[in-house]
Amino acid sequence: MSQQDKDELINKILELKEALNAVILAHNYQRGDVQDIADFVGDSLGLSQQAAKLDADVIVFCGVDFMAESAAILSPGKIVLMPEKLAECPMAAMITPEDLVKTKQEYPDAAVVAYVNTSAAVKAESDICCTSSNSVQVVNSLDEDVVIFVPDKNLGMYTQRYTDKMIIPWDGYCPTHHQILPGDILLMREDHPEAEVVVHPECQPEVIDVADTVLSTGGMLTHVKKSPNMEFIIGTEVGMLHRLRKDNPDKIFYPASKYAVCPNMKMNDLKSIFVALEENKHVITVPEAMRERAKQALDRMLKAGRGD
Ligand code: 13P
Ligand code: SF4
């Protein structure tokens, strides 16, 4: 697309947005040009917080399915649109509500903590949600001593490092973060000995072990801004580097692995956002009984706030 066509498309999106009283929310892994036209760019927790308090009629959610669903759960009076219906999170698909119900029967005294990367149906079967920004805080806030943690085993194992409670991690994982290997970090460190290694807790434990700092994507933004360091090796989805570079033009960022790309996060683009606004699609809804139960788990998480 030429720059002129792109500018015209952006203008049309802005016009439609105003006419419909719409806002665009985008996750930190979205394409750079999508982030640049969004009203709010953030991590999973920040986007949920925005969705809960926004004063708009329409939310265009540029992320993946569970994020748009969370917005629909938290903002029942608003129309939530997902530009690309097939932008699904494969990790969220690694657990069904039926699986969870069975596991709850095996551990009747355990609490269920669901990472927000889950379907509304799984959230409805959970006691509380968490994100990568507050998993430790959420787990430690519980009365129960045993916690079924779904679906990310890596976030579950990371959280176990900071709690005396017993965590039973589900066997799910993020295929994108599994592209980052400990050897990648060691090689990058050799090339950039001054750089601080910052990774996401969805990375495997062996990667966490060789990192300097472990943070959610929102936590990375705050940390990097405050840090006296000038170079960073970033172990998460590569879209994160767009925002880090934009906010910190004087600092240098290297991806830990160029293969850490989430194809689902990259599906939304300017064209699909325009079509979503013009044709009012794809509308995300959650059946009311399920929505109410899932909202309880999300509300409990929102009360816990950020942990990083
Ligand atoms: P955060 O932005 O909350 O750190 O989540 C990362 C992620 O993988 C979302 O899909
Ligand atoms: Fe899911 Fe991983 Fe993609 Fe996030 S980066 S949406 S966890 S597959």
Side-chain angles (χ1 to χ4, degrees):
M1 197 190 300
S2 71
Q3 191 55 47
Q4 195 187 345
D5 289 349
K6 199 170 168 175
D7 290 344
E8 271 174 31
L9 192 53
I10 290 172
N11 282 337
K12 282 188 201 162
I13 291 173
L14 297 179
E15 276 168 29
L16 274 172
K17 222 168 61 103
E18 193 167 329
L20 297 169
N21 189 24
V23 292
I24 299 176
L25 300 186
H27 187 265
N28 290 321
Y29 296 160
Q30 290 292 292
R31 293 168 185 273
D33 52 8
V34 169
Q35 294 191 30
D36 293 343
I37 58 144
D39 297 284
F40 182 82
V41 184
D43 66 0
S44 308
L45 184 63
L47 292 169
S48 296
Q49 287 167 332
Q50 287 296 322
K53 69 174 187 206
L54 271 176
D55 182 20
D57 296 322
V58 179
I59 297 175
V60 182
F61 211 112
C62 301
V64 286
D65 53 353
F66 72 83
M67 296 181 172
E69 251 189 7
S70 295
I73 292 166
L74 291 165
S75 293
K78 299 185 186 99
I79 296 171
V80 177
L81 302 176
M82 215 179 134
E84 286 291 344
K85 204 166 188 315
L86 293 179
E88 294 167 350
C89 169
M91 174 160 70
M94 290 178 189
I95 182 165
T96 66
E98 293 79 18
D99 292 334
L100 180 54
V101 169
K102 249 189 242 159
T103 308
K104 284 197 314 188
Q105 283 160 0
E106 284 171 41
Y107 301 97
D109 296 329
V112 178
V113 175
Y115 190 23
V116 280
N117 300 42
T118 42
S119 64
V122 166
K123 288 186 178 77
E125 291 298 336
S126 305
D127 295 297
I128 186 166
C129 291
C130 74
T131 74
S132 50
S133 128
N134 60 10
S135 63
V136 174
Q137 203 179 349
V138 163
V139 165
N140 283 331
S141 75
L142 297 168
D143 292 334
E144 292 85 347
D145 292 325
V146 180
V147 172
I148 301 167
F149 193 99
V150 301
D152 186 8
K153 62 178 172 188
N154 294 317
L155 184 62
M157 288 188 283
Y158 172 73
T159 307
Q160 183 67 83
R161 297 180 189 219
Y162 299 98
T163 182
D164 293 333
K165 296 185 191 286
M166 184 178 118
I167 293 191
I168 301 162
W170 196 258
D171 196 19
Y173 63 92
C174 165
T176 299
H177 285 84
H178 269 221
Q179 295 293 327
I180 303 168
L181 303 174
D184 294 329
I185 307 277
L186 300 179
L187 282 176
M188 290 299 283
R189 269 199 199 278
E190 266 176 39
D191 289 348
H192 310 287
E194 301 295 319
E196 178 183 348
V197 177
V198 185
V199 306
H200 195 276
E202 283 180 20
C203 290
Q204 300 177 77
E206 300 78 12
V207 172
I208 304 271
D209 288 341
V210 293
D212 298 313
T213 313
V214 183
L215 288 167
S216 70
T217 62
M220 287 181 189
L221 286 163
T222 317
H223 173 79
V224 160
K225 208 165 236 177
K226 286 193 308 209
S227 170
N229 294 327
M230 295 306 286
E231 285 181 63
F232 299 85
I233 294 162
I234 301 294
T236 192
E237 210 276 347
V238 295
M240 190 62 212
L241 278 84
H242 176 80
R243 178 80 189 276
L244 285 166
R245 287 177 177 142
K246 195 171 164 179
D247 287 8
N248 305 277
D250 53 332
K251 300 194 175 186
I252 302 171
F253 301 94
Y254 311 100
S257 166
K258 64 177 184 193
Y259 300 111
V261 177
C262 176
N264 306 283
M265 280 283 185
K266 299 291 181 271
M267 283 185 185
N268 301 310
D269 58 16
L270 294 177
K271 225 177 200 154
S272 58
I273 293 171
F274 169 70
V275 173
L277 281 163
E278 197 179 48
E279 298 181 14
N280 195 44
K281 67 181 195 186
H282 304 89
V283 180
I284 304 302
T285 54
V286 177
E288 188 53 21
M290 184 189 290
R291 190 191 73 77
E292 276 172 19
R293 291 178 66 202
K295 186 168 184 296
Q296 282 175 16
L298 278 170
D299 282 343
R300 279 186 78 186
M301 169 188 85
L302 290 175
K303 261 192 209 127
R306 294 202 74 90
D308 56 18

